[in-house]
Amino acid sequence: MANIHEHAVLTDREFEIFQLVGLGRTTNQIAKQLHLSSKTVEVHRLNIRRKLKIKSAPELIRYAVEQAHREHPAADTGKSRSARLVAGAAASRCDW
């Protein structure tokens, strides 16, 4: 992952899709669950990767799964989930 721009923020829908990726859902499963086309989900996944500066789909999945297993209560940091997600991406950069 490249350096994360501190002001990058995911939309609510992007964050929802990110969470579902972290739960191991495929693009088609996410599309069906959210009543979206697979192409729309693919575009959201690309936007998530762009905003988090993640280079590949497997890296996105790895990072999303890591985040799904962490607890980050919003009250503890005063930051939104999306802001914590961006900070977390910077903290757990991978140089593969």
Side-chain angles (χ1 to χ4, degrees), residues 19 21 29 33-34 42 60 70 74 78 95-96:
Q19 289 179 309
V21 169
Q29 290 169 332
Q33 181 175 339
L34 299 180
E42 288 173 10
L60 171 63
R70 292 182 183 180
D95 296 323
W96 330 332

Side-chain angles (χ1 to χ4, degrees), residues 13-14 17-18 21 25-32 34 36-51 54 56-57 60:
R13 180 62 89 182
E14 290 166 347
I17 289 171
F18 179 83
V21 169
R25 304 293 194 285
T26 66
T27 295
N28 289 334
Q29 290 169 332
I30 294 168
K32 185 174 181 178
L34 299 180
L36 300 170
S37 75
S38 293
K39 182 64 177 171
T40 299
V41 174
E42 288 173 10
V43 169
H44 282 303
R45 287 176 59 135
L46 286 172
N47 288 336
I48 293 165
R49 285 178 44 202
R50 179 182 50 80
K51 288 181 179 182
I54 294 175
S56 67
L60 171 63

